Amino acid sequence: MEAHVTVTLAIDEVSPEGDHFRRLHRLTLLVADSPVFALSFTVTHIIDETSPVFGRTLAELDHANAEFIVTLAGVDSTIFATMHARHSYTPEEIRWDHRLVDTITRTPEGETVMDYSKFHLVEAISPVG
């Protein structure tokens, strides 16, 4: 029926005093909730000056043992129970300058259809900036 997602960047950092520690940065998402999770929604984080990812290269993220932790909670409309999912992504699993292929189309009759055969497909895009 509904879903809520969070994305957290876990990354090794060094304090000004030289101490090594693991920091968790909650990423700001354009849309973090979907009141109707019947089809899908895309989770988007803008990498700008306020993002903890801003200015970091893939090599820097890899060296800092970066991990993007995605958690999803939603209500199953069949049994009305809260469901949870969690997955983490390392820098080498991220497809930079790509986006997900649109999986939602309309039939000639106007019906909205989700094409699950495209669910994991991505396409290259031109870098912004």
Side-chain angles (χ1 to χ4, degrees), residues 28-106:
T28 302
L29 304 177
L30 287 180
V31 177
D33 299 285
S34 177
V36 180
F37 193 50
L39 294 172
S40 74
F41 74 99
T42 301
V43 177
T44 304
H45 168 71
I46 302 293
I47 301 175
D48 60 13
E49 295 82 10
T50 65
S51 170
V53 184
F54 183 77
R56 297 183 194 241
T57 65
L58 177 59
E60 290 170 336
L61 290 170
D62 195 43
H63 179 74
N65 297 312
E67 178 182 16
F68 295 90
I69 304 164
V70 180
T71 59
L72 175 71
V75 178
D76 182 300
S77 62
T78 305
I79 59 174
F80 296 99
T82 302
M83 309 298 281
H84 299 271
R86 177 188 175 279
H87 189 80
S88 65
Y89 300 90
T90 58
E92 60 270 4
E93 293 175 296
I94 304 294
R95 298 292 302 268
W96 299 94
D97 299 322
H98 283 72
R99 69 175 171 206
L100 294 167
V101 170
D102 192 2
T103 59
I104 299 175
T105 59
R106 290 205 181 269

